[in-house]
Amino acid sequence: MSQHTQALTEFLAALHYQQLPETVVSRTEDLFLDWLGSALASQGMHPIPLFERYAAKMGPGSGPAGILVNGQSSSAYFAALVNGASSHLVEQDDLHNSSVLHPATVVFPAVLAAAQDLGKSGRELIVAAVAGYEAGIRIGEFLGRSHYRIFHTTATVGTLAAAVGVGKLMGFNQQQFTHVLGTAGTQAAGLWEFLRDAADSKQLHTAKAAADGLLAAYMTADGLSGAKNILEGEQGLAAGMSSDANPSHLSQGLGERWALVETSFKFHASCRHTHPAADALLALLQQENLSAQDIASVTTRVHQGAIDVLGRVQVPQSVHQAKFSMGTVLGLIAVYGKAGLPEFHQYALTDSRVSDFRDKVSMLLDEEVDAAYPQRWLGRVEVTTLDGRTLQSSIDEPKGDPGNTLNRAELEDKFRRLLAFSGARTDEQATGLIGLVWDLRYLDDLTALTRITSLTGSAA
Amino acid sequence: MSQHTQALTEFLAALHYQQLPETVVSRTEDLFLDWLGSALASQGMHPIPLFERYAAKMGPGSGPAGILVNGQSSSAYFAALVNGASSHLVEQDDLHNSSVLHPATVVFPAVLAAAQDLGKSGRELIVAAVAGYEAGIRIGEFLGRSHYRIFHTTATVGTLAAAVGVGKLMGFNQQQFTHVLGTAGTQAAGLWEFLRDAADSKQLHTAKAAADGLLAAYMTADGLSGAKNILEGEQGLAAGMSSDANPSHLSQGLGERWALVETSFKFHASCRHTHPAADALLALLQQENLSAQDIASVTTRVHQGAIDVLGRVQVPQSVHQAKFSMGTVLGLIAVYGKAGLPEFHQYALTDSRVSDFRDKVSMLLDEEVDAAYPQRWLGRVEVTTLDGRTLQSSIDEPKGDPGNTLNRAELEDKFRRLLAFSGARTDEQATGLIGLVWDLRYLDDLTALTRITSLTGSAA
């Protein structure tokens, strides 16, 4: 095993609650609320009911772990599976920039299901989540941009992040963390190919990452051994799935740099790659007092990753695809001033003003933006107006980024809007959940987080 | 979608029992018996009980699908998982040469579990298995040698093979086969790194391939969409995990060439890469009337894949690792004249004559052998005797290969030995199972294949 994997696994084994700065603890609670909202927002939306039915068919009829969208219960494996699927659907869950990893949607489903199964406390959940974030983000950075070009990092690395989180909950020592990385890493999968067809794989990816990671931890606890050098070995993850892996990322700043607090909240309901340009355009429209019909064309200057992920869809056929269409996102911004869930579902595919605007938008690779990525996601747009002016706008930190983050009031507002969007919980229930999450570090019993009855006092 | 994927999915959708030549039907029965023996042979051996416990913890207490090693039942997902794990442990399951795929251990667990769940007949099981073999072997050939260098093809391609088999059982049309390939392909995972540490991932790989493939088919049947071009797309399987993919393999000889009958049975209980040299050495020892103590050194002339898979273990620490040690395998052949399960478990790690012989064995890359691989697995050994002679031996078709296959009497004998080795079933029960399998095409009810009670007439 290399010094970097060794250092990472030693850090994970030694990590404890008292070591966490207050900002890390409170940000974990923020991220957890944000995740909970994302999961509940997808209630009833395709393909989530398919995962619910699969869990009902293959799993036990009930169990110790809760399924958020329907308030039912199952074994930890199936709760992680369904909650992992549901929390990534509406594209409102968090993102870590430099790793291009969505940590919440893979870490929280696994650690919450395992914590409920094992009877762990909110404090233990927080430490477990931090372990999952810190490991997952560093492994994502380690695998680099070449990995993300083909592989959906949240799927692949997500499996390891989830496994580490559950392992922490189980009190793994350094050897067990090594094994669980091996067992999770050899299950790591997820290809971007589905984007081209707007296929349902994105939810499958996060579902499987959370559930497979949980499987890895449970089986490691029972004695399953894994490869000792799965990250850096000659036939390991980087050897097979990266051409620019950098092992030093694995141990970078352990215990000093808390990668979890670098995680961004999503403000717009679209793919994160569209946010810098959306914010830059929004700033320009407000500053110049322009509206959609004043614009002749928009050139967004972007990083290569944005072109790879967004470039293949010209005319979106589904709401999900619309979230990956730069033109549609900017069209919603230009016409409605925002690109939230309601705008996507009501207007993204049907409003001709949005589709007209979409056709005016192009993407251009920009050297400065590309060089800054993925550490910084710079927004650069160049707008030509119908009256012949050329205007430029730039933002260096999109809304929701660590330096431009959402405060608790904004997070509560987003949470309530997500729940109202799906109707998964009443506003009163939302209030109850918010209270529970802001008390997460003091909770001894985590069952109330997923049970609908516990909030209403009556059967759901 | 390319013409090759199109042709493959059209073939799969149209495939029907009447179309299968008698040799294909009877060989499928042969392969099924061989698989059943491999699964039962691992009863009680690490890490199989871990999978049994995981299924018991996460799944329902009982269900429509049978778990072979313990005679219990669960949902189809967990039966596929445990049977997938157990059938690859003793390294006695079949292998297809040019794809380097072990089809049985991934296809049969999935299709048997699904067939029991769905109440399908033996005839339908046979067609489903043929679909899984034909698709899996071609996809393995398509991904090529560069894939196998890092990835465990039986794990990655196995997921697709299992999915196709279950999809056939469910009567998928061409569109559904396209979706199921997408959904299975984006879950495809499995790295060789574990071999270095003799970690338990090999069983995890086959377990997950069978179970994930089954998941893909069930969710496709319920409407989950997958990428349309997962095999050949710009961000698909070959793009991410191969550098020498050849799409023409996908459609090669569909309906004319039956790849299933090209599958080899394993005669020795070791990694297939050791078999050509083992057979060549055995022939030489018999011909020259030599014994282990007459030999000064053995040079095996092998293909690169053998060096990649076998080259990292010098001194095996476990029985499983011994099966991947060329020197140990040849040592057993030289000392005992065979390398079956009893020899591995009783002598591979403890007999100093075997370890002394092991240290006399080396591997050398041979151009002719490498060029023939993986279509043909040539055995070439050069032996130096203590009295100063240099002898050479070569075999062109190892025992168990299609041109040197096992007949039904040999298969029955192997089956009985496998069951006697583990004690999973009595010899009387073995007789009952053999009878069932030779009648597979006439069976309406497949539950008796996994239930212990049905064979003894009393509770197990």
Side-chain angles (χ1 to χ4, degrees):
Chain A
M1 192 189 335
S2 86
Q3 53 170 341
H4 299 292
T5 298
Q6 177 89 28
L8 176 62
T9 51
E10 282 172 4
F11 165 78
L12 294 170
L15 185 71
H16 57 95
Y17 186 81
Q18 285 70 25
Q19 176 189 357
L20 304 180
E22 167 59 24
T23 51
V24 173
V25 174
S26 64
R27 188 63 65 86
T28 307
E29 292 164 341
D30 293 354
L31 294 164
F32 185 74
L33 185 77
D34 197 59
W35 168 75
L36 208 58
S38 292
L40 290 166
S42 72
Q43 190 200 45
M45 289 171 67
H46 179 85
I48 307 309
L50 279 65
F51 289 90
E52 297 172 57
R53 288 197 288 270
Y54 187 77
K57 173 156 183 62
M58 297 299 180
S62 64
I67 295 174
L68 282 161
V69 285
N70 60 23
Q72 294 174 5
S73 68
S74 187
S75 62
Y77 176 80
F78 289 103
L81 189 85
V82 182
N83 293 340
S86 64
S87 49
H88 203 44
L89 182 69
V90 298
E91 300 285 340
Q92 287 282 269
D93 53 309
D94 65 22
L95 169 70
H96 183 271
N97 284 349
S98 58
S99 56
V100 205
L101 175 74
H102 296 276
T105 189
V106 289
V107 170
F108 284 125
V111 297
L112 177 60
Q116 291 183 330
D117 183 32
L118 303 167
K120 299 289 182 182
S121 69
R123 189 169 290 213
E124 291 168 301
L125 177 83
I126 288 171
V127 181
V130 172
Y133 271 69
E134 297 301 317
I137 287 168
R138 284 175 175 80
I139 296 168
E141 292 174 336
F142 156 70
L143 287 174
R145 292 173 69 165
S146 66
H147 179 73
Y148 185 71
R149 207 160 288 147
I150 306 277
F151 294 96
H152 182 194
T153 302
T154 300
T156 54
V157 174
T159 312
L160 293 102
V164 164
V166 178
K168 188 66 201 171
L169 216 44
M170 293 178 143
F172 279 6
N173 59 30
Q174 190 264 333
Q175 285 75 23
Q176 288 173 303
F177 272 115
T178 307
H179 285 304
V180 86
L181 286 177
T183 294
T186 205
Q187 298 180 73
L191 296 156
W192 277 122
E193 183 63 26
F194 75 90
L195 267 193
R196 228 166 290 253
D197 311 308
D200 299 324
S201 309
K202 208 171 195 210
Q203 285 65 59
L204 178 72
H205 287 175
T206 52
K208 288 292 307 304
D212 287 346
L214 184 138
L215 176 151
Y218 273 72
M219 293 200 71
T220 300
D222 199 21
L224 193 81
S225 64
K228 292 198 179 107
N229 204 13
I230 197 73
L231 299 172
E232 305 170 67
E234 280 172 46
Q235 292 171 303
L237 260 182
M241 298 156 90
S242 172
S243 58
D244 64 344
N246 180 350
S248 71
H249 284 298
L250 293 170
S251 58
Q252 201 249 313
L254 288 167
E256 291 162 13
R257 166 202 176 201
W258 295 97
L260 177 140
V261 300
E262 302 163 1
T263 307
S264 304
F265 296 100
K266 272 199 179 176
F267 188 64
H268 310 296
S270 56
C271 174
R272 185 70 180 169
H273 289 295
T274 66
H275 292 205
D279 284 352
L281 179 67
L282 188 59
L284 181 77
L285 296 176
Q286 289 171 343
Q287 186 184 309
E288 301 286 335
N289 200 23
L290 293 170
S291 64
Q293 58 265 36
D294 301 322
I295 311 287
S297 71
V298 180
T299 302
T300 64
R301 307 186 71 94
V302 298
H303 51 275
Q304 183 63 44
I307 294 172
D308 292 343
V309 173
L310 308 172
R312 62 203 83 266
V313 173
Q314 296 309 315
V315 179
Q317 305 296 322
S318 67
V319 168
H320 186 260
Q321 234 176 8
K323 294 174 179 175
F324 287 81
S325 157
M326 179 68 93
T328 303
V329 174
L330 297 200
L332 289 172
I333 291 286
V335 175
Y336 294 99
K338 50 191 170 183
L341 280 181
E343 289 75 34
F344 271 104
H345 284 265
Q346 289 166 46
Y347 310 119
L349 301 177
T350 55
D351 186 331
S352 63
R353 293 174 299 166
V354 173
S355 54
D356 287 350
F357 197 91
R358 182 193 70 218
D359 296 337
K360 298 175 182 174
V361 175
S362 60
M363 286 189 288
L364 193 66
L365 180 65
D366 183 280
E367 273 185 36
E368 183 207 358
V369 174
D370 196 55
Y373 175 89
Q375 282 72 33
R376 300 170 69 216
W377 296 46
L378 306 181
R380 301 284 183 269
V381 298
E382 195 171 285
V383 171
T384 312
T385 59
L386 282 177
D387 58 12
R389 288 177 290 160
T390 299
L391 305 166
Q392 295 185 328
S393 174
S394 68
I395 61 99
D396 287 352
E397 195 137 30
K399 179 74 176 165
D401 260 24
N404 189 11
T405 193
L406 306 185
N407 61 34
R408 286 208 162 178
E410 290 172 314
L411 288 167
E412 290 183 16
D413 180 57
K414 177 181 170 187
F415 183 74
R416 287 181 195 281
R417 283 188 286 111
L418 287 171
L419 271 56
F421 169 77
S422 71
R425 300 288 189 278
T426 64
D427 201 56
E428 189 190 338
Q429 290 169 329
T431 304
L433 283 169
I434 290 168
L436 285 173
V437 176
W438 294 159
D439 273 345
L440 188 59
R441 67 186 82 179
Y442 308 114
L443 291 184
D444 283 330
D445 179 358
L446 301 178
T447 55
L449 289 165
T450 51
R451 256 201 254 121
I452 297 177
T453 46
S454 67
L455 294 166
T456 62
S458 64
Chain B
M1 194 187 337
S2 86
Q3 54 170 339
H4 299 293
T5 298
Q6 177 88 29
L8 176 62
T9 50
E10 282 172 3
F11 165 77
L12 294 170
L15 185 71
H16 57 94
Y17 185 83
Q18 285 69 26
Q19 175 189 357
L20 304 180
E22 167 58 27
T23 50
V24 172
V25 175
S26 64
R27 187 62 65 87
T28 306
E29 293 165 341
D30 294 353
L31 294 164
F32 185 74
L33 184 77
D34 198 60
W35 168 75
L36 209 56
S38 291
L40 290 166
S42 72
Q43 189 199 45
M45 289 171 68
H46 179 83
I48 307 309
L50 279 65
F51 289 90
E52 297 172 59
R53 287 196 289 270
Y54 187 78
K57 172 157 184 61
M58 297 298 180
S62 64
I67 294 173
L68 282 161
V69 284
N70 59 23
Q72 294 174 7
S73 68
S74 187
S75 63
Y77 176 81
F78 288 104
L81 189 85
V82 182
N83 293 340
S86 64
S87 49
H88 204 42
L89 183 69
V90 299
E91 300 284 339
Q92 287 282 269
D93 53 308
D94 65 23
L95 169 71
H96 183 272
N97 285 349
S98 59
S99 56
V100 204
L101 175 74
H102 295 276
T105 189
V106 289
V107 170
F108 284 125
V111 297
L112 177 60
Q116 291 183 330
D117 184 33
L118 302 167
K120 299 291 181 180
S121 69
R123 189 169 289 213
E124 290 166 301
L125 177 84
I126 289 170
V127 181
V130 172
Y133 270 71
E134 298 302 315
I137 287 167
R138 285 175 174 80
I139 295 168
E141 291 174 336
F142 156 69
L143 286 175
R145 292 173 68 165
S146 65
H147 179 72
Y148 185 71
R149 207 160 288 147
I150 306 276
F151 295 96
H152 182 194
T153 302
T154 300
T156 53
V157 174
T159 312
L160 293 104
V164 164
V166 178
K168 188 66 201 172
L169 216 43
M170 293 177 143
F172 279 6
N173 60 29
Q174 190 264 333
Q175 286 74 21
Q176 288 173 303
F177 274 115
T178 307
H179 285 303
V180 86
L181 286 177
T183 294
T186 205
Q187 298 180 73
L191 296 157
W192 278 121
E193 183 63 26
F194 75 90
L195 267 193
R196 226 166 291 253
D197 310 308
D200 299 324
S201 309
K202 207 172 196 208
Q203 285 66 58
L204 178 72
H205 287 176
T206 52
K208 289 292 306 306
D212 287 345
L214 184 137
L215 177 152
Y218 273 71
M219 294 200 71
T220 299
D222 199 20
L224 193 81
S225 64
K228 293 198 180 107
N229 206 11
I230 198 73
L231 300 172
E232 305 170 66
E234 281 172 44
Q235 292 170 305
L237 260 182
M241 298 155 90
S242 171
S243 58
D244 64 344
N246 180 349
S248 71
H249 284 299
L250 293 171
S251 57
Q252 202 249 312
L254 288 167
E256 291 162 13
R257 166 203 175 201
W258 295 97
L260 177 140
V261 301
E262 302 163 0
T263 306
S264 304
F265 296 101
K266 271 198 177 178
F267 188 64
H268 310 297
S270 56
C271 174
R272 185 71 180 170
H273 290 294
T274 66
H275 292 204
D279 284 352
L281 179 66
L282 188 60
L284 181 77
L285 295 176
Q286 290 170 343
Q287 185 184 312
E288 301 285 334
N289 200 24
L290 293 170
S291 64
Q293 59 264 36
D294 300 323
I295 311 288
S297 71
V298 181
T299 301
T300 63
R301 305 186 71 93
V302 298
H303 51 274
Q304 183 63 45
I307 294 171
D308 291 342
V309 173
L310 309 172
R312 61 202 84 267
V313 173
Q314 296 310 315
V315 179
Q317 304 297 322
S318 67
V319 167
H320 186 260
Q321 234 176 9
K323 294 173 179 175
F324 287 81
S325 157
M326 179 67 94
T328 303
V329 174
L330 297 200
L332 290 171
I333 292 285
V335 175
Y336 295 99
K338 52 192 168 184
L341 280 182
E343 289 74 34
F344 271 103
H345 283 265
Q346 290 167 46
Y347 309 120
L349 301 177
T350 55
D351 187 332
S352 62
R353 294 174 300 169
V354 173
S355 53
D356 287 350
F357 197 92
R358 183 193 70 219
D359 296 337
K360 298 176 181 173
V361 174
S362 60
M363 286 190 287
L364 193 67
L365 181 65
D366 183 281
E367 273 185 37
E368 183 206 1
V369 174
D370 196 55
Y373 174 88
Q375 282 71 35
R376 300 171 68 215
W377 296 47
L378 306 180
R380 302 283 183 268
V381 297
E382 196 170 286
V383 171
T384 313
T385 60
L386 281 178
D387 59 14
R389 288 177 291 161
T390 299
L391 305 166
Q392 295 186 327
S393 172
S394 67
I395 61 99
D396 287 352
E397 196 137 29
K399 179 74 175 166
D401 260 24
N404 189 12
T405 194
L406 306 185
N407 61 35
R408 286 209 161 178
E410 289 172 314
L411 288 168
E412 290 183 17
D413 180 56
K414 178 182 170 186
F415 182 75
R416 288 181 194 279
R417 283 188 286 111
L418 288 171
L419 271 54
F421 169 76
S422 71
R425 300 288 190 277
T426 64
D427 201 57
E428 189 190 338
Q429 289 169 329
T431 304
L433 282 170
I434 290 168
L436 284 174
V437 176
W438 294 159
D439 272 345
L440 188 58
R441 68 186 81 178
Y442 308 113
L443 291 185
D444 284 329
D445 179 358
L446 302 178
T447 54
L449 290 165
T450 51
R451 257 201 256 122
I452 298 178
T453 47
S454 67
L455 294 167
T456 60
S458 66

